Amino acid sequence: MKLQMHSIHFDADEKLVNFIQHKADKLDTFYDRIIDGEVFLRVEQDDANENKLIEIKLNIPGSQLFAKEKSRSFEAAADEAIEALRRQLKKHKEKLIANHH
């Protein structure tokens, strides 16, 4: 899946980018019509431990899915966001199937 990565006000290292890409690619196994996606990574300027914010947008035919998660690491936030998208894809797929019967 083609993902555009945007790290706001910092440079995401290749390891992080690959981690997110690898996780996102697994979504294709749940729904094979994902067109592409966009990922925004930012570090919130506060003192909280959980200041890593990730937003993921996925384009699918006729719709767009979105997840936003905050955690103490980008990896943890990415895990949560991708899990949220997986649930949304599942719901979307169930709706499609229901409409066809």
Side-chain angles (χ1 to χ4, degrees), residues 1 24-35 58-63 65 85-86 88-90 92-94 96:
M1 174 199 325
D25 283 342
K26 291 191 171 155
L27 291 172
D28 282 330
T29 61
F30 296 102
Y31 187 69
D32 57 7
R33 295 178 61 204
I34 299 168
I35 301 162
L58 285 188
N59 293 308
I60 59 176
S63 191
L65 303 179
L85 288 168
R86 189 188 66 76
Q88 290 177 40
L89 283 170
K90 198 170 162 239
H92 179 77
K93 208 165 148 183
E94 283 164 5
L96 286 180

Side-chain angles (χ1 to χ4, degrees), residues 40-58:
F40 294 89
L41 302 164
R42 35 173 89 79
V43 180
E44 299 272 273
Q45 298 305 318
D46 58 24
D47 295 331
N49 275 339
E50 303 203 345
N51 67 343
K52 310 288 189 299
L53 183 72
I54 186 166
E55 297 174 356
I56 306 177
K57 274 190 261 191
L58 285 188

Side-chain angles (χ1 to χ4, degrees), residues 93-101:
K93 208 165 148 183
E94 283 164 5
K95 225 189 311 187
L96 286 180
I97 292 165
N99 290 342
H100 281 107
H101 292 295

